[in-house]
Each structure stands twice: as structure tokens, then as C-alpha cells.
Amino acid sequence: MSTMDPIQVFRVEAAELLEQIETGLLDLLHDLRDKAQIDAVFRGLHTLKGSGAMFGFDALAAFTHHCETAFDRVRKGEVEATSQLVSAVLDARDHMQALIDQPDGNHGETGEQLLAKLNMAVGGTSSATPEAAVPSQAAEENQHSAGKKGYRLVFRLPVNSMANGTNPIGLLNELRELGDCEITADTSFLPPLNQLNARDLHIGWVVDLTTSQPRQAIDDVFIFVMDDMELEIVEVEAPETAAPDVQEPATASGTPAGTGTPAKAGEAAKAAENVRVPAERLDELMDRVGELVIAQSRLSQLADRSVDIPLRSVSEDIERLSKELRDTMMMLRMVPIGQLFGRFRRLVHDLSRETGKVIDLVTEGETTEVDKTVIERLGDPLVHLVRNSIDHGLQSPAERRALGKPEAGKVTLSARQAGGEVIITVKDDGRGINREKVRAKAEASGLVQPGELLADQELLQLIFHPGFSTAAKITNLSGRGVGMDVVKKSVEALRGIIDIVSENGVGSTISLRIPLTLAIIDGLLVRVGTGRYVIPLSSVEECLELSLEEDFRSRGRSFISLRDSLVPFIRLRELFSTRTEPELHQKVVVVSTGAERVGLVVDQIIGDHQTVIKSMSKLHHAVASFSGATILGDGNVALIMDVGHLVSLGQQEEARLRAAG
């Protein structure tokens, strides 16, 4: 079995650290005296520097050291945290990412400029030379020449420490930086040579340290390994003259003597709470579960035709277990959408600086869980929507004051689950969509004929047409008419739909309705003519019977009365051109997307069906009525209906009939 590339593991962990650093910096902007956030940013920079050095990213470690030093000075109260410092470290964070992605690239000039900016932010006391990564020990000794204390440290790390990315040499080097120390290795735990695993760590250490630093500085060295290691720190009398830094071989007599018993901060066999799994392995497992669901469906069909009671019993057990496995697999793939929303704090911060607008980003429903594939594909569409809201929607502070609005414009990102869908909303309190401008642009582009009647939603949906833009000039943010087109294509690829609500002078709300998962769904299997089709069960409201007489009476208007409301319906037999006679008792399946409903007339409702979604071939991408296909238990293919598209067809028919009436 192949193992993950250590460099790739570092890059994954570094990405998480950079995200934590960015989040801490943005949180710090709300309260520049928040010590918890200052400490969090410092710890992130400290860990990134150490890990980078361990994996050979020396330029990253050298550059990150300066940011760490700046926040260390803030942490110690030597300088104050300022918005200029936060801005400088945010820019430095992007440079750190570049040093990780392209460690062999030429980043020197950029690094020097960023360090100069960092130097200015902390009052000109930080070095602007990347190579000066570690302050000299002599300087430290001159700075802390008085008030020294002595400590004896006895510690051992877990056996698997190095495999998990912990560098014991780095810990020892950090202890050296605190003052004078004598380090002795303890090899008493080494196993016989024929049992030795080169990847395991069996050495312990005894460190006699003389330092003027507080005890907290020693604890900080072990802050990230404290839970799993054995550590004893005893204060001893400091010698008048510190011993030179030497490394002596330990005797095999056992653990060196010390006062007290070494205290374990955590059990060595402590189980990990989280396991990192590559995304492609989850995808592969999902494919296997899908194949299992198809095989189970075949088994159920065979069992239904058999009179063998044990076979039926086994079939029912397999059906139950496969459903439970499917649900568990779905839960593994679900991730909170908050990790997607978190990316936009930095975007809004940068756009605020670029546009001069005061922007307040509000996020709601961050704990809503969505399939990881949906999260991956929603990033770009949401970026375009947020940028569009800021550029087109929000007014400048002066305009907002003149209108009696708060100076800070508000952009709200929210998510909530509704049945089998997640509804993601981007809302702003800006100027709203100017319908006259949209109409004029559409007529000038030939999309709409002068005088043509359009429903309000149809008019608003024109902003998603390729090349459509009402911007007076092209800016770095918008104006080329490509952003909203990307949004529409991406959402449709996810089998989702877009709703728009806008009021002049009040603001706009754009809602994306996306299926929770793109892999396996519960479906309603129906027959239309001789073909079988699947309707996503999460969209089904109810099923009604449509007799031949009612079908005949509704010709020309295609409406059914449902609890004092008229619901348009579509005869799928005609839409699919089955060329078959209608059944004596047809059925109407009422489906909905949000507040919009439509009835789908089918010949027979077969029953529920666990549906493994297979992508349509490129030859069938233009067939808008279907979002995918699935394999039935008998090996035949059933197409999965695109409910959003069918509801849209029904609403268009309703609008046409109302206009004609």
C-alpha cells in the first residue's frame, strides 16, 4: 500500500495553518487588543516556520520568522497591534503560499518589499533581510543578562512523533535559543538492533537550562506536542556561570535522576479524534457504494420473483445494510459550508481596500452541511456573486449617507437546508437591480424584442446571459459580462437553480438552490409510455390521479385545482414524444422548487428507488429535461428528471396562458 508523499502532507497542513492565520488576522481587525487572537496568529506562524524548516522549505521558514517575531513583540507588549500590521501580515501570508507552491521560484524582491512593509508596521525595528532567520544567541544573552533561573527538563516524545511531523531537533534548538543549556540524550529505551524501526523515536532527553526567560517561554516550546509527551520541568539553582552547550552521550543506566515523577500530559496510546483521508479515496469508496446499491437492486428484483423465503430474507438484510452504508457514506462526504464562507472574509477585506467602500460581511448557517463536491464547485460562483454585490450593489459611503443608510454596506452570506436541497443566499442592502437598464441592455443586445412582455423573474434572469453587463465601465471587479454567466453554468452543472429578488434602493437577494449530494439520491421511479424515469424524491410533494375525463377537460389550459390553487402540469408523454396511448388512470406527480410547483403527468408510479447518479454523455448535454441517468436492477437505464427545468417549463406555460387570457 502506497503512503502519501511527506511534502504533500506538509502542503496540506500548511494550507490549514495559513487559513487559521488568515482567520485570526481578520478576527483581530475587530479588536486589535484581543490577546487570544494575537496568540493564535503567533502560534500559527511559529508552527508554519518550524514545519517549513523541517521539510526543507528554508525560504519559507526564513520569511515566516519575521512575521512570527513581529507578533511575538506584540504578544510581549513591546509594540501594539495595528491595522497596518494586520494588512502587512495578510500580504505576507500570500507570499508564504507562493513560497510553498513554488519553493524554487524567484520571490526575493517581493519578499524584501513585504518585509519592508512589515518593518514599517512595527516601527522600523524588524529586519528586512530574509536570510536573518534566527536572532544570534549573543544578542539574546546581552539583552537578558540578569535575572536568570535554572531548570532541568526531562522529556520523551511518542514513538511515532517523527512520522507525524514532529521534529525533536527543532525543539532542542528552540530550547537553545532561550539561554545556556546542556543537552544529554537518554538511549535507555532503544530496542535491540534487530527490532529497531528507523522511523520510530526511542530517544529521550535531559536538558539543564539557564535562562532569563519566564517559565511560560519553556512551555511554549512544547505547546503543540504537550498532549502526547512525557515532560518534567523542575526549577533548580542557576549556576553562576552557565555551562557550555554540549551534547554528551547518555549512559545506558536508565532515565537520569530527577526530582519527582515524570508527568504524562496525555496517554501514549491516546486515540486520534480525526483521521485525514485523501478526497480521491472518498470518491472511490463512493463509487463502490454506488455499485453495491445497483447490485442490491438486482438482488431485490430476483428475490421478488422467487418463492424462496431465505433468499427474500437475505435480500431484505442486504437492502437494509446497503442503505445504512449509503447513509454513512453520505455523512462522511458532508462538510460544513462554513469552511467555504470563511474564504470570503479575506475577499471582502481586500475589496473594501480596493473600492474604498465600508463593507460588513455577515455569515449565517455556517454549520449547514453539504456534499464536499458541491463545496468544491460553489467557490467560483459565490466569488462572482459577492464581487458583483460589492461593485454593482453597494453604494459608496457618501452615497449611503446621502440616502440615510448606514455608512457600512452589508453583504450577507447564508445557508440553510430545505428537504434535499441547500439554499445559499447572497444578499446586499445596496441599490438593487435597475430593471430599466437591464431591459435597455437586453434590447440593444437583441435578447428581447422592444415591447415584448416579460415576467419580472425572466427579466432579472437576463443578467446571467453570456456577455451581459450593465456596468458603465470595465473595472478590476466587473464589467466584462462573464462573471454571472459562470455562476449560471456552474449552478446548472450542480443541477441547481437561481432565484433573484431585488428592490430598487433596498438591495438584492440571489438564492442558489443546490442538491445536498451529487452521488446517490432517493428517487421515485415512474413510467411514461414504455420508458422508465426517476424523479428526485426530495422534490416530490404529492401524487394525484388524473382520469381520462379530467385529462380531456384540461386540454388547452393544462391546470389542475389543488386545494383552492391552480397548479400547471406537463404531459410528459407529449414532452417525450412517446407516441403511445395514455393509460386509463394517469397519475400526476406534483413537484416543487421553493414556492414554484408543477404537476408531471405519468402513466404509472412504480415506487421508490435508491438512485445512483451517473453523468450524461457529452452528446446529451443539450437535453435539458434530464440531469443524469441511473442503472436499474434489470440492467436497463433510467433517465433522472431535472425538476428545476421542468418547473421552469411549467411556469412559462402558466405565464403564457395567463397573458393569453
Side-chain angles (χ1 to χ4, degrees):
M1 184 177 67
S2 62
T3 57
M4 291 186 67
D5 178 11
I7 299 299
Q8 184 58 33
V9 172
F10 164 71
R11 285 195 165 104
V12 172
E13 294 180 348
E16 294 178 356
L17 286 170
L18 288 173
E19 185 176 341
Q20 293 170 12
I21 291 168
E22 181 175 282
T23 300
L25 289 168
L26 294 171
D27 287 340
L28 187 58
L29 281 175
H30 296 292
D31 182 2
L32 292 170
R33 297 183 179 181
D34 189 337
K35 190 176 185 305
Q37 293 301 336
I38 293 171
D39 289 343
V41 173
F42 171 78
R43 287 194 299 270
L45 293 167
H46 178 77
T47 306
L48 183 62
K49 180 192 78 171
S51 298
M54 182 176 67
F55 284 95
F57 288 78
D58 296 332
L60 171 69
F63 180 82
T64 307
H65 172 77
H66 294 285
C67 299
E68 176 200 19
T69 301
F71 263 85
D72 191 31
R73 297 187 64 211
V74 173
R75 196 172 65 133
K76 294 175 179 177
E78 296 176 10
V79 296
E80 291 186 356
T82 62
S83 58
Q84 290 79 13
L85 174 61
V86 172
S87 176
V89 180
L90 278 172
D91 292 340
R93 175 248 180 254
D94 296 338
H95 185 62
M96 295 172 200
Q97 183 70 66
L99 291 172
I100 294 170
D101 295 339
Q102 299 175 328
D104 299 326
N106 184 11
H107 306 287
E109 185 176 349
T110 302
E112 291 176 5
Q113 293 172 354
L114 292 171
L115 290 179
K117 182 178 179 181
L118 179 66
N119 182 43
M120 293 292 294
V122 291
T125 57
S126 175
S127 169
T129 306
E131 289 76 11
V134 181
S136 67
Q137 188 170 331
E140 293 287 343
E141 291 174 355
N142 291 335
Q143 183 179 356
H144 305 288
S145 58
K148 293 186 177 182
K149 290 185 178 181
Y151 297 91
R152 167 161 284 199
L153 290 75
V154 181
F155 67 91
R156 289 186 66 228
L157 296 168
V159 172
N160 62 347
S161 293
M162 292 191 293
N164 291 335
T166 301
N167 182 7
I169 302 302
L171 299 176
L172 296 173
N173 287 338
E174 289 187 49
L175 290 174
R176 286 190 179 98
E177 293 178 17
L178 296 180
D180 299 317
C181 64
E182 179 181 347
I183 301 173
T184 305
D186 171 23
T187 58
S188 61
F189 292 92
L190 279 174
L193 186 61
N194 60 354
Q195 299 177 15
L196 184 65
N197 186 336
R199 295 186 178 182
D200 291 342
L201 179 64
H202 299 286
I203 300 176
W205 288 271
V206 179
V207 179
D208 291 310
L209 173 66
T210 303
T211 178
S212 57
Q213 298 284 354
R215 164 65 187 268
Q216 181 63 42
I218 301 175
D219 292 336
D220 285 348
V221 171
F222 302 100
I223 190 170
F224 298 108
V225 291
M226 185 79 74
D227 290 342
D228 299 318
M229 70 180 296
E230 297 178 11
L231 173 63
E232 176 193 6
I233 303 177
V234 179
E235 186 173 341
V236 297
E237 184 177 351
E240 294 182 3
T241 304
D245 183 14
V246 295
Q247 184 168 349
E248 302 174 2
T251 65
S253 59
T255 305
T259 305
T261 304
K264 284 190 178 182
E267 294 296 328
K270 181 180 179 181
E273 295 181 357
N274 296 291
V275 178
R276 192 189 306 279
V277 179
E280 58 269 17
R281 293 188 183 177
L282 279 181
D283 293 337
E284 183 179 351
L285 181 58
M286 188 74 252
D287 290 340
R288 297 294 181 270
V289 173
E291 296 299 325
L292 176 63
V293 169
I294 293 172
Q296 176 271 315
S297 180
R298 293 178 59 193
L299 177 61
S300 295
Q301 285 198 356
L302 292 173
D304 290 342
R305 298 172 187 167
S306 173
V307 295
D308 189 333
I309 301 301
L311 175 62
R312 290 192 173 193
S313 177
V314 171
S315 174
E316 290 173 358
D317 287 342
I318 296 297
E319 182 177 2
R320 174 180 57 81
L321 291 172
S322 66
K323 186 173 182 179
E324 290 175 358
L325 180 60
R326 181 203 69 171
D327 293 343
T328 301
M329 188 63 229
M330 291 300 180
M331 289 167 52
L332 288 177
R333 290 172 60 94
M334 302 296 270
V335 293
I337 203 167
Q339 63 179 240
L340 175 62
F341 284 179
R343 305 177 195 173
F344 292 94
R345 300 181 62 196
R346 174 68 185 281
L347 175 67
V348 170
H349 172 269
D350 292 346
L351 292 180
S352 177
R353 291 166 55 190
E354 184 175 342
T355 62
K357 297 178 180 179
V358 183
I359 307 168
D360 183 14
L361 176 67
V362 178
T363 57
E364 300 171 351
E366 296 98 323
T367 57
T368 303
E369 293 191 330
V370 189
D371 190 290
K372 73 173 187 65
T373 307
V374 175
I375 291 283
E376 292 165 0
R377 299 187 192 176
L378 276 178
D380 286 345
L382 286 178
V383 166
H384 287 297
L385 290 177
V386 171
R387 290 168 70 99
N388 196 69
S389 290
I390 292 172
D391 193 35
H392 287 291
L394 298 183
Q395 304 98 331
S396 67
E399 289 178 280
R400 293 181 67 86
R401 286 194 299 269
L403 293 169
K405 290 185 174 183
E407 186 175 278
K410 181 186 289 188
V411 175
T412 304
L413 268 175
S414 63
R416 62 184 177 88
Q417 186 176 337
E421 294 180 325
V422 60
I423 302 173
I424 302 169
T425 302
V426 180
K427 179 180 179 182
D428 67 71
D429 64 347
R431 56 175 60 92
I433 298 176
N434 189 316
R435 289 163 172 79
E436 288 75 20
K437 279 189 177 181
V438 172
R439 173 115 201 168
K441 178 67 175 181
E443 291 181 357
S445 304
L447 299 176
V448 176
Q449 298 301 317
E452 181 180 346
L453 291 176
L454 288 177
D456 187 61
Q457 193 62 216
E458 289 181 278
L459 179 64
L460 294 176
Q461 291 284 338
L462 289 174
I463 67 174
F464 296 105
H465 195 275
F468 193 94
S469 176
T470 58
K473 61 180 180 179
I474 294 177
T475 68
N476 290 334
L477 298 186
S478 60
R480 292 180 172 83
V482 293
M484 302 303 273
D485 177 33
V486 169
V487 173
K488 185 174 179 64
K489 288 181 178 178
S490 300
V491 171
E492 288 179 346
L494 291 169
R495 306 197 316 274
I497 60 174
I498 305 175
D499 295 327
I500 307 177
V501 176
S502 183
E503 185 177 348
N504 278 336
V506 176
S508 302
T509 302
I510 299 181
S511 301
L512 312 181
R513 309 180 68 93
I514 309 291
L516 280 175
T517 180
L518 305 177
I520 302 178
I521 61 171
D522 286 319
L524 184 66
L525 188 62
V526 301
R527 179 176 61 81
V528 180
T530 58
R532 286 174 290 178
Y533 304 87
V534 175
I535 303 172
L537 197 58
S538 60
S539 301
V540 176
E541 285 196 355
E542 57 185 296
C543 300
L544 310 170
E545 188 169 297
L546 181 69
S547 65
L548 281 175
E549 293 78 9
E550 291 174 320
D551 185 23
F552 182 78
R553 284 199 302 269
S554 64
R555 293 282 173 179
R557 59 187 180 93
S558 298
F559 282 95
I560 56 172
S561 178
L562 186 61
R563 288 185 290 279
D564 300 326
S565 63
L566 291 178
V567 177
F569 65 81
I570 300 172
R571 295 175 174 85
L572 295 181
R573 192 177 59 258
E574 296 177 2
L575 181 65
F576 299 160
S577 301
T578 62
R579 300 178 183 176
T580 58
E581 292 298 320
E583 295 287 327
L584 183 62
H585 297 288
Q586 300 174 85
K587 304 295 188 294
V588 180
V589 181
V590 179
V591 296
S592 66
T593 55
E596 308 296 340
R597 296 188 297 175
V598 70
L600 305 176
V601 180
V602 302
D603 289 321
Q604 180 188 3
I605 296 175
I606 299 174
D608 64 330
H609 182 268
Q610 287 192 60
T611 304
V612 180
I613 301 173
K614 303 291 185 181
S615 300
M616 302 276 281
S617 71
K618 293 182 179 180
L619 294 174
H620 298 91
H621 277 182
V623 184
S625 298
F626 306 107
S627 59
T630 189
I631 301 174
L632 301 177
D634 58 7
N636 289 322
V637 173
L639 296 175
I640 303 169
M641 295 187 191
D642 187 332
V643 173
H645 176 75
L646 294 174
V647 168
S648 178
L649 285 180
Q651 297 303 316
Q652 290 174 17
E653 179 68 10
E654 179 183 10
R656 184 186 65 80
L657 292 173
R658 291 186 187 279

